[in-house]
């Protein structure tokens, strides 16, 4: 079992990261999937943006349309660099007075610092609120968790993930009749850290981070601290489904997003790997993925799923063969893997503009 001082790592005096499990890995997955358990996500960061210009300002900087958010609405948006590479993924909730941005822990300070530099003369204020608010997660809507949500402006701070469907202005590359994320009904709830002891004492059922990770992988749901590296663009992870609005107008990195989507192809693509578990060789993030003897990518996330068995997400080259088995090579050996395509090699080029022949390839008639 994971050593812990309390049910929540965010409790006063607690040490370390949130617990990976509480001794019943598959049972925790089942309870979480049924909406009967809560996951400690207190290592994640919370950034607030207040002021009357907050929505139009963030809309101009990031990939999703935020100007229409009503109090209580949720959205997901990406901060890209000028070349279209992902820097931060933020889950956004607006309560009518403040826009709350929930981000993976390592990105919180980076996002707050960037937004502070970009304020100029706009009527906005940026603050890191991680010290006062903790994030807890669930699938479904456990009543005890919703009742504990912070409501500084009278609106419960509950972010509802929209991964179950393609959002307005978005696009899906996965060519499946029913997306595995169709039943993904994840929420993240902001809870005052001072109230966590009372919540822990209430006996609310808990699941570890490994349970959430297994269900996330099975839903093909990307995460910043797992699937994203310094070169990742949204198309490679099929993140245009929920985090990008393709027609909202300009923002940093928008040119790359439009060019790859309309005229090109993402250089890499996300796949789900069904792993051979017969030899009990562990697969870990960073392990090499091979097609034959050729290295084609890396594992980004791996887990033991209560129904699917050992599974992983990996980002591979666009040229990696689709119909052939793959191999994962780690420190403890090699594991055979069957590939399930998430982003197909032909993703992109949606504009359908015919290619013009190069001048050097045009044959001139003989005189």
């Amino acid at each position: 079992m994971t050593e812990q001082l309390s049910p929540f790592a965010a409790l006063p005096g607690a040490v370390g990261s949130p617990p990976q499990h509480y001794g019943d890995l598959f049972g925790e997955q089942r309870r979480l999937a049924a909406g009967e358990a809560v996951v400690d996500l207190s290592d994640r960061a919370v950034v607030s943006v207040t002021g009357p210009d907050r929505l139009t300002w963030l809309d101009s900087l990031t990939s999703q349309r935020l100007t229409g958010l009503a109090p209580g609405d949720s959205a997901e948006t990406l901060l890209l660099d000028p070349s279209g590479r992902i820097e931060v993924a933020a889950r956004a909730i607006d309560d009518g007075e403040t826009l709350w941005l929930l981000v993976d822990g390592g990105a919180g300070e980076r996002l707050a610092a960037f937004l502070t530099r970009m304020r100029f003369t706009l009527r906005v204020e940026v603050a890191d609120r991680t010290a006062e608010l903790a994030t807890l997660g669930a699938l479904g809507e456990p009543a005890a968790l919703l009742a504990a949500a912070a409501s500084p402006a009278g609106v419960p701070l509950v972010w509802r993930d929209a991964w179950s469907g393609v959002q307005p202005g978005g696009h899906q590359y996965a060519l499946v009749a029913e997306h595995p994320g169709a039943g993904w009904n994840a929420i993240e709830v902001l809870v005052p850290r001072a109230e966590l002891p009372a919540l822990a004492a209430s006996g609310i059922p808990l699941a570890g981070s490994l349970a959430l990770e297994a269900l996330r992988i099975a839903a093909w749901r990307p995460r910043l601290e797992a699937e994203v590296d310094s070169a990742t663009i949204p198309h490679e992870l099929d993140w245009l489904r929920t985090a990008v609005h393709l027609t909202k107008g300009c923002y940093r990195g928008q040119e790359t997003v439009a060019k790859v989507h309309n005229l090109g192809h993402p250089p890499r693509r996300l796949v789900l790997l069904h792993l051979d578990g017969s030899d009990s060789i562990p697969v870990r993030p960073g392990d090499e993925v091979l097609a034959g003897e050729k290295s084609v990518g890396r594992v980004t996330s791996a887990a033991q799923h209560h129904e699917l068995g050992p599974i992983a997400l990996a980002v591979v080259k666009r040229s990696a063969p689709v119909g052939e088995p793959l191999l994962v090579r780690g420190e403890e050996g090699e594991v055979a893997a069957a590939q399930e395509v998430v982003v197909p090699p032909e993703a992109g080029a949606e504009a359908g503009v015919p290619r013009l022949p190069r001048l050097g390839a045009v044959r001139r008639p003989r005189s």
Side-chain angles (χ1 to χ4, degrees), residues 89-102:
R91 284 123 15 225
I93 320 162
D94 195 77
D95 66 8
E97 297 179 2
T98 303
L99 183 67
W100 301 88
L101 302 175
L102 288 58

Side-chain angles (χ1 to χ4, degrees), residues 102 134-138 145-146 148-150 157-159 187-191:
L102 288 58
T135 304
L136 302 179
L145 179 57
L146 295 180
L157 299 183
V158 179
W159 179 78
I187 64 171
E188 294 184 15
V189 179
L190 294 184
V191 176

Side-chain angles (χ1 to χ4, degrees), residues 197-221:
L199 185 61
S202 72
I204 189 169
L206 300 174
S209 59
L210 291 179
L212 181 63
E213 189 74 348
L215 300 175
R216 177 187 72 82
I217 292 170
W220 300 354
R221 212 303 177 214

Side-chain angles (χ1 to χ4, degrees), residues 16 42-43 78 82 98 114 124 222 234 254-255 290 309 313-314 318 328 336 357:
S42 58
D43 59 339
L78 303 175
T98 303
F114 172 81
V124 293
Q254 185 265 345
E255 183 178 357
L290 300 99
L313 290 175
R318 175 174 171 253
V328 176

Side-chain angles (χ1 to χ4, degrees), residues 102-127:
L102 288 58
V103 296
D104 288 358
E109 291 184 6
R110 188 165 70 248
L111 177 61
F114 172 81
L115 294 179
T116 299
R117 292 196 306 270
M118 298 299 291
R119 286 172 51 207
F120 303 115
T121 60
L122 295 171
R123 298 170 297 169
V124 293
E125 295 293 335
V126 179

Side-chain angles (χ1 to χ4, degrees), residues 5-330:
L5 297 179
S6 66
F8 295 115
L11 283 174
V15 177
S17 300
Q20 293 185 327
H21 65 88
Y22 296 89
D24 184 13
L25 182 61
F26 291 154
E28 291 168 30
Q29 284 186 37
R30 296 186 184 97
R31 289 190 289 275
L32 184 60
E36 299 170 354
V38 170
V39 181
D40 181 357
L41 303 176
S42 58
D43 59 339
R44 301 189 180 184
V46 181
V47 175
S48 68
V49 183
T50 57
D53 295 333
R54 65 189 184 281
L55 294 179
T56 54
W57 179 55
L58 264 297
D59 184 276
S60 70
L61 292 174
T62 65
S63 62
Q64 185 56 273
R65 175 171 285 168
L66 301 175
T67 52
L69 282 183
D73 281 354
S74 301
E76 182 179 31
T77 192
L78 303 175
L79 176 65
L80 308 177
D81 73 8
S83 298
R85 300 182 181 93
I86 299 172
E87 291 191 337
V88 177
R91 284 123 15 225
I93 320 162
D94 195 77
D95 66 8
E97 297 179 2
T98 303
L99 183 67
W100 301 88
L101 302 175
L102 288 58
V103 296
D104 288 358
E109 291 184 6
R110 188 165 70 248
L111 177 61
F114 172 81
L115 294 179
T116 299
R117 292 196 306 270
M118 298 299 291
R119 286 172 51 207
F120 303 115
T121 60
L122 295 171
R123 298 170 297 169
V124 293
E125 295 293 335
V126 179
D128 188 334
R129 308 290 288 275
T130 310
E132 62 185 272
L133 293 169
T135 304
L136 302 179
L139 298 183
E141 306 215 358
L145 179 57
L146 295 180
S151 306
V155 176
L157 299 183
V158 179
W159 179 78
R160 292 174 170 85
D161 196 346
W163 187 250
S164 60
V166 181
Q167 296 308 293
H171 184 90
Q172 176 177 301
Y173 289 135
L175 302 175
V176 289
E178 184 175 358
H179 196 282
W184 178 256
N185 56 348
I187 64 171
E188 294 184 15
V189 179
L190 294 184
V191 176
R193 289 186 185 265
E195 297 180 13
L196 285 177
L199 185 61
S202 72
I204 189 169
L206 300 174
S209 59
L210 291 179
L212 181 63
E213 189 74 348
L215 300 175
R216 177 187 72 82
I217 292 170
W220 300 354
R221 212 303 177 214
R223 184 181 169 215
L224 178 72
E225 289 194 340
E227 278 63 56
V228 174
D229 61 26
S230 61
T232 304
I233 59 175
H235 319 64
E236 297 174 332
L237 308 179
D238 212 7
W239 223 336
L240 274 63
R241 298 178 83 248
T242 55
V244 176
H245 197 292
L246 290 166
T247 60
K248 81 178 185 77
C250 293
Y251 53 91
R252 196 168 75 149
Q254 185 265 345
E255 183 178 357
T256 296
V257 170
K259 188 175 293 185
V260 173
H261 179 66
N262 290 313
L263 302 175
H265 301 283
R268 301 180 298 179
R269 57 188 183 85
L270 186 68
V271 298
L272 177 76
L273 299 179
H274 294 272
L275 304 167
D276 180 4
S278 56
D279 292 328
S280 300
I281 298 174
V283 169
R284 299 184 175 91
D287 286 352
E288 189 177 21
V289 178
L290 300 99
E293 291 298 319
K294 184 178 181 181
S295 177
V296 295
R298 296 279 176 181
V299 170
T300 58
S301 305
Q304 291 280 343
H305 191 273
H306 70 285
E307 292 179 341
L308 301 177
I311 56 174
L313 290 175
V315 174
V316 301
K317 296 178 181 177
R318 175 174 171 253
S319 60
V322 170
E324 298 180 15
L326 300 174
L327 195 68
V328 176
R329 177 180 293 164

